[in-house]
Amino acid sequence: MKAADNQARDSACDDLARLMQRGSVWRARRQWHRDQPEGDTKRGISTGVEALDEVLGGGWPRGELLELLLDRAGCGEIRLLLPLMHRCERVVWFDPPWQPHAAALAAAGLDLSRLVIVRTRHPRQRLWAMEQALKSGCCDLVLGWFAAVQGQWLRRLQLAAASGGGHGALIRPADFAKQGSVAPWRLRLSAPDQSSGDETAPLSRRIKVHAFKRKGAMPARAIDITLADSRLSPPCPRPTSLPCAPSGERRSRPVLLVSERKGAGRS
């Protein structure tokens, strides 16, 4: 009798495995993550915050486009991504709306030789360059600061991220959260309520993260996160909401800059 039960159970498991392989059965992401070997980074890299890892199904998604929508520029988006940057061999930033401070980034433990800052003249150039960086497979993390982005470009960036297998993120104002997007992951970042989270930590080190779109899962509840202490101070955004780079702008040393202007190189 016991042998018959075991045979029936094995047969049922084989049938279920075939159904899952064919895609006929949906499998929860959290259970998928539990089945992976500890330390496996094929799926993603840990955010450094257990609660956020749970929300993202194991860590920052690899090969999938992520949107970070900010209620306010400089609310902690760079400090949130610092643990990921520390584990990447090549990090590329496209048109950050403020001038990166090389000394502060180095003090936060970031290897500046792995960081590339790209300045473009037009959003279309920025989109094209970001697409090339994502699908090249040579850039572990690609960040791009944008305002409005057409749906066809979002699809192209998602396909490029899937092709290259790295981490790609669009950083945009929260005003665009109500617009549709093909990005599988959309996170809204904002300042937390003063009465929530770790009240012992200053507000400058706390951030609220709401994953209102997750691939293969329902939206998650907003969580309050205490960011790791670092020497990165909140940047002062420029008056305009669109990323820009005046031609006469003074550049920080020793960050590597890539530009379309003739003769650009290390500044």
Side-chain angles (χ1 to χ4, degrees), residues 85-227:
M85 294 186 200
H86 288 157
R87 299 183 62 180
C88 291
E89 291 296 324
R90 178 63 64 194
V91 179
V92 185
W93 292 3
F94 284 92
D95 291 305
W98 30 262
Q99 180 60 30
H101 194 289
L105 292 170
L110 191 63
D111 184 352
L112 297 183
S113 66
R114 301 179 181 181
L115 176 62
V116 178
I117 309 296
V118 180
R119 295 294 188 186
T120 61
R121 298 177 181 177
H122 191 274
R124 184 174 292 274
Q125 294 176 342
R126 190 181 319 136
L127 286 163
W128 180 86
M130 186 173 180
E131 180 186 26
Q132 305 311 307
L134 282 170
K135 69 181 181 182
S136 70
C138 301
C139 305
D140 300 297
L141 174 61
V142 180
L143 303 180
W145 279 260
F146 291 90
V149 181
Q150 294 181 352
Q152 62 178 356
W153 271 107
L154 289 172
R155 286 190 290 272
R156 288 177 62 166
L157 292 176
Q158 166 57 25
L159 290 172
S163 175
H167 300 271
L170 297 179
I171 302 178
R172 310 173 69 195
D175 297 342
F176 296 97
K178 296 180 181 179
Q179 296 184 2
S181 172
V182 299
W185 303 89
R186 305 188 80 194
L187 276 61
R188 183 165 183 168
L189 309 184
S190 59
D193 300 330
Q194 295 190 16
S195 59
S196 63
D198 182 5
E199 298 183 10
T200 62
L203 282 175
S204 61
R205 284 185 53 201
R206 290 160 54 193
I207 188 173
K208 177 182 285 187
V209 180
H210 180 206
F212 62 93
K213 182 180 180 183
R214 299 190 294 164
K215 183 178 180 180
M218 297 292 290
R221 290 187 300 176
I223 58 175
D224 286 344
I225 293 175
T226 300
L227 299 168

